[in-house]
């Protein structure tokens, strides 16, 4: 496997992970808003999970853009 092909595969995997973390962030925040305002049941871990996904989203999107 050539170096260019290997780097292209790594970039594709990073792009896929970026999309996954983006969707997970949206799902976690939506879940938190739904539970807090409609069901009056705040879930503590969902905010931390959303922040963690957002941090990884920033790291991966920065490396893909460079």
């Amino acid at each position: 496997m050539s170096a260019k092909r290997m780097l292209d595969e790594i970039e594709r995997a990073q792009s896929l992970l970026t999309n996954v973390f983006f969707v997970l962030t949206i799902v976690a925040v939506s879940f938190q808003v739904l539970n807090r305002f409609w069901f009056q049941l705040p879930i503590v871990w969902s905010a931390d999970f959303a922040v963690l996904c957002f941090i990884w989203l920033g790291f991966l999107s920065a490396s893909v853009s460079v």
Side-chain angles (χ1 to χ4, degrees):
M1 180 180 267
S2 69
K4 180 174 176 14
R5 186 171 178 179
M6 184 175 66
L7 290 175
D8 287 341
E9 291 297 322
I10 291 172
E11 184 179 357
R12 188 173 296 129
Q14 284 182 332
S15 295
L16 177 69
L17 278 174
T18 301
N19 291 335
V20 167
F21 280 118
F22 180 70
V23 169
L24 283 176
T25 303
I26 291 172
V27 168
V29 171
S30 300
F31 180 70
Q32 181 181 7
V33 169
L34 177 78
N35 278 329
R36 180 170 292 174
F37 291 113
W38 284 357
F39 299 130
Q40 306 300 324
L41 180 68
I43 307 288
V44 177
W45 60 266
S46 62
D48 295 332
F49 182 71
V51 168
L52 185 68
C53 287
F54 191 71
I55 289 170
W56 275 103
L57 176 65
F59 287 148
L60 287 170
S61 61
S63 69
V64 167
S65 67
V66 168

